[in-house]
Amino acid sequence: MTPLAEAQRFVLDAVPAPTVVTIDRSESTWAVLAEPVVAPETGPPFDNSALDGYAVRAIDTVGTPVDLVVTGEVAAGASTDVPVTEGTCVRIMTGAPMPPGADAIVMVERSERLGVDGDGIERARLTGPVDVGTGVRSAGDDVHVGDELFPAGVIVTPPVEAMLASVNAQQVTVFQRPTVAVLSTGDELISDGSPLQPGQIRESNLSMLRGMLLEARCDVIDLGVIRDNEAELERVLFDVADQCDAIVSSGGVSMGDYDIVKAVLGRIADMTWMQIAIKPAKPFAFGTLTRTDGKAVPIFGLPGNPVSSLLSFELLARPALRQMGGHAAVSRMAMRAVTDVDIERRPDGKTHVMRCTGAFESDGRYHVLPVSAQGSHQLAATATADAVILVSDGDGLRAGDEVDALLLTG
Ligand code: AMP
Ligand code: MG
């Protein structure tokens, strides 16, 4: 049996390096920057008001209350050439450019409108003093043109994308999302809702794997269920290899006579068949299929039992696909957790990957409780697990012991 860490390293070392593409910003959400972004524009582009109020010379507000002559008004999107001179002010809205001569804003809450006098002159009473710069957002105090805005490796999260929009970065150079073909195999699998005949079961891994691939920021080609027919599987694999960056299959990698994935991949691809020293999800296959253009497409052969398929994907395929997509964080968030109960197990040479509910408690630690059913076919209990713990070979854990955990949601 291969230790889990060794298998993970083997797969990470074998997958191809990420591909770099330049795309429109609007298509870059959640992509990873492959190159730094240099700000094409300055933000904010001009000195402007942070408040609704009056643009003033700070020196004129010494000794408030003071009454100033209102010589104009400027709204966001407008501008004014009327300078603010001694004894005058300009009514201003948030985001409007500072009028020439003004060096501070008095917020509207510290003012009173005095109206227009008989000579047609409008005045405002300002009730609090301001310093030079109060209420002013200076040009470039977020970013200057030519500055490195974001380094390579940053994920284009929604706020990052907003920042790119604010400085008119129209294109970004990112790592391409891997396109991953997914298929499941087995003559017993029914996915069209029709009544089950003796021996048949509902197919369930495809929707799970599709969702997990999307969550891992991959694009998905769903090949559906392939019957246990070697010629058909071989044709499907060769066809799709030309259109994808990786293939994930579920089922048919263990020792049974109908494990056709094993038969076909053994013939057409360069595969390593592994028995990983974990329970569940012991059988796992990894290799490459060489496509017509010579490119080697990684293939992840996951076991068919739903819980095994899930764990095999999480522990072996997901990190590799994240690496192919250029993500620096390839693994789930790992931490030391504490168990509140005894967890019994017997020595068998394997790490037991137990699904748990978990929560941070008032002591600041992450407390885990294994879900009630740990069988590799018992998806009901595992489906809502928050984390897995890696229980080392031996006799298990006592309540209060610490254990390595991976958060499935982080
Ligand atoms: P296999 O890995 O093909 O030997 O399958 C192991 C077990 O998982 C068998 O009980 C299969 O019926 C079941 N199984 C395989 N593939 C799927 C699937 N896509 N959905 C649900 N169960 C599956
Ligand atoms: Mg099968």
Side-chain angles (χ1 to χ4, degrees):
M1 287 190 294
T2 311
L4 175 61
E6 196 179 300
Q8 287 171 322
R9 178 49 43 211
F10 174 78
V11 173
L12 287 173
D13 287 347
V15 292
T19 309
V20 174
V21 282
T22 298
I23 57 174
D24 286 347
R25 181 191 69 239
S26 59
E27 267 143 40
S28 71
T29 320
W30 300 117
V32 182
L33 295 180
E35 287 177 3
V37 174
V38 172
E41 293 180 1
T42 289
F46 48 84
D47 293 352
N48 67 97
S49 177
L51 305 159
D52 296 324
Y54 291 90
V56 298
R57 302 177 341 134
I59 197 166
D60 289 351
T61 68
V62 176
T64 48
V66 293
D67 296 349
L68 300 183
V69 173
V70 182
T71 55
E73 180 176 288
V74 56
S79 66
T80 180
D81 295 333
V82 178
V84 171
T85 54
E86 186 174 355
T88 73
C89 63
V90 165
R91 189 177 298 116
I92 194 166
M93 311 306 148
T94 305
M98 291 296 287
D103 58 19
I105 304 293
V106 175
M107 66 169 84
V108 73
E109 293 84 347
R110 294 205 184 141
S111 71
E112 261 171 60
R113 287 191 188 217
L114 300 178
V116 180
D117 69 12
D119 298 328
I121 294 177
E122 184 187 351
R123 287 191 171 74
R125 176 159 301 162
L126 307 181
T127 57
V130 286
D131 297 323
V132 171
T134 300
V136 181
R137 305 190 291 205
S138 301
D141 73 4
D142 203 12
V143 64
H144 283 100
V145 61
D147 283 354
E148 181 178 300
L149 179 56
F150 299 118
V154 160
I155 296 172
V156 185
T157 59
V160 166
E161 195 176 336
M163 191 61 225
L164 296 172
S166 79
V167 290
N168 196 33
Q170 299 197 357
Q171 297 218 301
V172 282
T173 301
V174 299
F175 295 114
Q176 189 157 45
R177 290 162 72 96
T179 297
V180 183
V182 59
L183 62 100
S184 95
T185 62
D187 279 346
E188 73 280 26
L189 303 175
I190 298 299
S191 53
D192 64 2
S194 57
L196 295 179
Q197 302 304 316
Q200 294 182 331
I201 60 165
R202 303 288 176 197
E203 197 290 325
S204 60
N205 289 349
L206 274 176
S207 48
M208 176 176 76
L209 292 169
R210 201 167 50 226
M212 294 196 301
L213 284 165
L214 293 175
E215 186 277 335
R217 312 281 180 231
C218 297
D219 292 331
V220 180
I221 300 175
D222 187 347
L223 298 170
V225 179
I226 311 295
R227 299 291 142 206
D228 288 336
N229 173 314
E230 292 192 22
E232 186 190 344
L233 179 61
E234 179 169 335
R235 183 187 55 74
V236 167
L237 289 173
F238 272 125
D239 281 355
V240 82
D242 284 335
Q243 306 158 44
C244 68
D245 301 303
I247 298 171
V248 171
S249 73
S250 125
V253 291
S254 38
M255 302 302 203
D257 282 348
Y258 294 88
D259 287 337
I260 60 137
V261 174
K262 194 158 191 175
V264 171
L265 289 179
R267 194 166 61 238
I268 66 171
D270 179 11
M271 300 298 294
T272 302
W273 306 95
M274 291 184 235
Q275 301 292 316
I276 316 286
I278 56 174
K279 181 184 175 182
K282 185 168 70 135
F284 171 73
F286 175 79
T288 51
L289 179 63
T290 304
R291 34 188 246 189
T292 41
D293 65 2
K295 189 175 150 184
V297 177
I299 304 181
F300 302 87
L302 314 179
N305 272 309
V307 174
S308 304
S309 222
L310 162 67
L311 295 178
S312 200
F313 181 87
E314 280 286 348
L315 298 172
L316 291 152
R318 186 179 183 280
L321 293 168
R322 295 274 294 174
Q323 182 176 292
M324 287 174 68
H327 287 265
V330 299
S331 300
R332 293 291 192 179
M333 191 187 292
M335 66 172 78
R336 295 289 283 172
V338 56
T339 173
D340 291 333
V341 296
D342 292 350
I343 296 176
E344 309 242 322
R345 55 156 295 172
R346 296 274 80 88
D348 59 3
K350 299 180 205 164
T351 297
H352 288 197
V353 186
M354 300 185 74
R355 286 77 64 211
C356 297
T357 54
F360 285 99
E361 293 185 5
S362 52
D363 60 0
R365 302 167 82 196
Y366 192 74
H367 290 249
V368 288
L369 182 67
V371 300
S372 57
Q374 295 281 337
S376 65
H377 61 297
Q378 291 173 303
L379 189 57
T382 281
T384 54
D386 302 305
V388 294
I389 55 172
L390 303 174
V391 183
S392 307
D393 194 22
D395 289 309
L397 302 168
R398 302 277 77 83
D401 283 353
E402 286 199 340
V403 61
D404 285 328
L406 292 173
L407 282 192
L408 294 178
T409 49

